[in-house]
Amino acid sequence: MEFEVSYQLDDEQQFWDELDDIVSAQCQTHGLIDNVLRSYFAFISNYKGDFLHAEYDIVRCSLKLLESPLFSTHKDYVRRQIIYSLLEEESPDTLHLIVALLLFDGRDNEATFEMMNEEGTFPRIVELIYEKKDDDDGLHRMLLELLYEMSRIQRLRIQDLILIEDDFIRYLFQVTEGLSDDVNDPYHYPIIRVLLILNEQYMVSTHDPGPDQPLTTNLANKVIQLLSAHGSAFKTFGENIILLLNRESETSLQLLILKLLYLLFTTPATYEYFYTNDLHVLVDVMIRNLLDLPLSATPLRHTYLRVLYPLLAHTQLKHPPHYKKDELVRLLTMMTATGGATEHHFGAVDETTKRLVGRCVRVPWLKDDLASPGDGDATVARKLLGVEMPGGMMSSLSVVEVTTTPKERPGVLTGSRQREDQGRLGSEPPTGHDGDGASGKRLEVDMPMKSPFDGEDEASISRSRSESGS
């Protein structure tokens, strides 16, 4: 029998006790399960204003169901019913709970996000983000996170991508532009990540069409299209993706940022989208990361190099005075050197690295100063990275390659060569940056905020899919 909310609860503890009773019901038929789910949503929605005052309370309510015997016994059916509710529900309070259930279940079980894709929820989530933007801040933020999470682990259907309107992309940029310069603003990160993942989906659709995608489909990348036409109105977004790359330790998100940067630096209309000072910071970040990446991060290192060439060759960095010219020449020389401390740091030089470094050193303003590696390599590395590297411890398909760069599963952090070396030496990490002592945390470049590759290169960056097969 369906639960009826027909009495006044005395206190918060009684609310949680009643919720436990609802999700503890034993159900043997789909009809009984449906009754419990209706009771669950009705009960929480009815008392949300009285007892659920923080985002944590919504999370707690969702976990009550996800950790219940009812869910563990009937997962597929319950998930599908929740997905159907997402497609039909209009109440912001109930939608908030539905979105929380799908988000937290999907993070632990990618089958949930795959089922959502199969059931065509992507256009619905886009619609809700746009139409419910003024209803509930917590719901809006969680919808953004759900869109990002379900899109990062799989290829979206071409018929869903086609439905994205220009106005939706413009709205996301406008929200970012209207926020403060604090990247920790609760809206900054989710919105920027949605734009990054949509850019990747457009790239994959264009350069790695799926088996069911018509060959005649010509899907414009609306993220790049809008920045090409109106980039000067959306500078805050550009500033913040450089800031995120500076701070980010998650490999998959670094790759998403690099893919967008690649397109911006290989699209003539966006060659000079960034302020020159921001490009200087980006050069600092790329030098540091190329020195600091562990030997195992070869695909990520290759992607950095693919982005470095158009950054140096196409943007305003090509004009004098040439920023960090000597350091760049020295770094690129070190990356293809053999023997000595340099090889200990970078490892054996693979053919792709040779090719990509060779492309970078052909940038006109670099090639005249190409240097040979020598005894100063350790000094250069110490100067650029800020760590000691004693002897023995220092160790033609570009568009397609950028698209198909193997990426780590969500949540995997990029290692730090500096931390590996400090661990061997038993030394403490340097101070001066919040959180530097955390495992896997990368050093940050101090960065104050301000208010032709081959035709194959783009596809190679964009078709990057998970090595797990997603």
Side-chain angles (χ1 to χ4, degrees):
M1 181 177 180
E2 184 174 346
F3 180 87
E4 295 182 5
V5 181
S6 58
Y7 59 91
Q8 185 69 37
L9 298 180
D10 295 329
D11 54 41
E12 184 175 340
Q13 186 56 51
Q14 188 177 357
F15 169 84
W16 294 112
D17 290 343
E18 293 292 340
L19 186 59
D20 283 335
D21 288 343
I22 292 173
V23 299
S24 297
Q26 300 294 316
C27 302
Q28 302 302 323
T29 68
H30 289 171
L32 290 175
I33 295 172
D34 292 343
N35 283 341
V36 170
L37 291 177
R38 282 191 290 268
S39 298
Y40 170 82
F41 288 123
F43 178 76
I44 295 173
S45 297
N46 192 60
Y47 291 105
K48 182 182 179 184
D50 296 323
F51 302 115
L52 307 181
H53 305 298
E55 198 74 13
Y56 169 76
D57 296 322
I58 297 295
V59 175
R60 185 178 176 187
C61 286
S62 66
L63 293 180
K64 289 284 187 182
L65 178 60
L66 295 177
E67 295 174 355
S68 69
L70 174 70
F71 183 80
S72 61
T73 305
H74 308 282
K75 284 182 180 178
D76 286 345
Y77 182 78
V78 173
R79 281 174 181 153
R80 200 169 296 276
Q81 294 306 106
I82 296 172
I83 289 171
Y84 291 159
S85 298
L86 175 67
L87 293 171
E88 299 174 358
E89 185 60 54
E90 293 296 337
S91 165
D93 288 344
T94 306
L95 279 170
H96 199 169
L97 188 57
I98 291 170
V99 172
L101 286 164
L102 293 173
L103 177 62
F104 295 114
D105 182 38
R107 283 175 173 169
D108 288 335
N109 306 275
E110 291 182 357
T112 300
F113 293 145
E114 293 167 356
M115 186 183 294
M116 290 174 61
N117 197 30
E118 293 168 3
E119 296 293 343
T121 62
F122 179 83
R124 172 62 171 164
I125 298 172
V126 170
E127 174 191 2
L128 290 172
I129 290 172
Y130 197 54
E131 294 186 354
K132 303 290 184 181
K133 55 183 178 288
D134 298 323
D135 287 347
D136 185 308
D137 288 348
L139 169 61
H140 190 254
R141 186 166 54 251
M142 202 169 281
L143 282 165
L144 289 166
E145 295 199 18
L146 182 61
L147 185 70
Y148 171 73
E149 295 288 357
M150 74 166 288
S151 302
R152 74 190 300 203
I153 61 99
Q154 62 192 325
R155 179 196 299 270
L156 295 176
R157 305 186 307 177
I158 186 68
Q159 60 265 40
D160 291 341
L161 284 174
I162 290 174
L163 295 177
I164 299 177
E165 300 285 349
D166 293 347
D167 286 346
F168 177 71
I169 303 296
R170 183 179 295 106
Y171 160 71
L172 295 177
F173 278 114
Q174 288 172 339
V175 173
T176 301
E177 200 66 27
L179 296 172
S180 69
D181 283 340
D182 181 9
V183 78
N184 294 315
D185 185 294
Y187 277 112
H188 253 105
Y189 201 46
I191 289 177
I192 290 172
R193 292 195 307 178
V194 166
L195 286 165
L196 291 172
I197 200 64
L198 290 179
N199 174 70
E200 183 191 49
Q201 290 288 344
Y202 283 127
M203 293 178 78
V204 170
S205 175
T206 300
H207 300 288
D208 183 25
D212 299 327
Q213 181 174 330
L215 296 178
T216 57
T217 303
N218 185 17
L219 185 61
N221 185 330
K222 295 188 177 182
V223 175
I224 297 300
Q225 194 174 61
L226 190 141
L227 288 176
S228 296
H230 307 289
S232 61
F234 303 117
K235 292 285 193 177
T236 299
F237 172 76
E239 297 165 1
N240 282 323
I241 61 172
I242 293 178
L243 178 57
L244 284 177
L245 184 64
N246 182 35
R247 296 179 175 181
E248 190 55 54
S249 296
E250 187 179 3
T251 303
S252 61
L253 193 50
Q254 288 185 65
L255 285 167
L256 289 178
I257 296 169
L258 290 170
K259 291 173 184 183
L260 180 62
L261 291 174
Y262 174 84
L263 285 187
L264 292 173
F265 298 146
T266 55
T267 302
T270 54
Y271 280 175
E272 299 190 2
Y273 165 65
F274 293 95
Y275 292 114
T276 302
N277 285 344
D278 289 333
L279 293 179
H280 290 174
V281 174
L282 181 57
V283 169
D284 291 338
V285 171
M286 296 189 77
I287 290 174
R288 180 210 58 200
N289 287 356
L290 282 169
L291 279 167
D292 196 32
L293 290 173
L295 295 178
S296 59
T298 299
L300 183 57
R301 183 179 297 107
H302 290 167
T303 306
Y304 271 103
L305 288 170
R306 291 187 179 101
V307 174
L308 183 62
Y309 171 77
L311 167 63
L312 302 178
H314 296 162
T315 72
Q316 55 266 44
L317 292 179
K318 65 185 179 182
H319 303 301
H322 296 126
Y323 185 72
K324 293 290 178 77
K325 178 178 180 179
D326 293 342
E327 289 90 340
L328 286 164
V329 169
R330 193 61 162 173
L331 169 65
L332 293 169
T333 304
M334 290 165 58
M335 292 188 72
T336 53
T338 57
T342 298
E343 185 170 351
H344 279 289
H345 181 69
F346 288 106
V349 183
D350 60 274
E351 291 302 315
T352 300
T353 297
K354 289 180 182 178
R355 175 170 59 84
L356 295 174
V357 169
R359 178 181 289 158
C360 290
V361 300
R362 289 197 296 274
V363 171
W365 61 272
L366 285 183
K367 64 181 181 181
D368 291 340
D369 288 346
L370 184 61
S372 298
D375 295 335
D377 291 345
T379 303
V380 172
R382 181 176 65 249
K383 176 182 176 183
L384 297 181
L385 189 55
V387 298
E388 289 283 352
M389 294 184 181
M393 291 186 181
M394 185 170 84
S395 39
S396 65
L397 298 171
S398 294
V399 157
V400 177
E401 289 162 356
V402 170
T403 307
T404 58
T405 302
K407 67 179 181 182
E408 293 287 354
R409 294 176 62 82
V412 175
L413 302 184
T414 303
S416 167
R417 174 58 60 85
Q418 181 194 25
R419 298 206 173 282
E420 291 177 0
D421 292 336
Q422 287 168 347
R424 295 189 191 102
L425 292 170
S427 63
E428 293 296 323
T431 59
H433 296 279
D434 292 341
D436 278 351
S439 175
K441 179 73 174 178
R442 304 187 67 80
L443 289 178
E444 292 180 13
V445 174
D446 290 333
M447 191 174 123
M449 291 285 293
K450 303 182 312 306
S451 274
F453 262 134
D454 309 325
E456 303 148 305
D457 274 5
E458 181 183 326
S460 179
I461 283 185
S462 68
R463 201 167 63 230
S464 166
R465 302 320 309 154
S466 170
E467 291 177 310
S468 66
S470 60

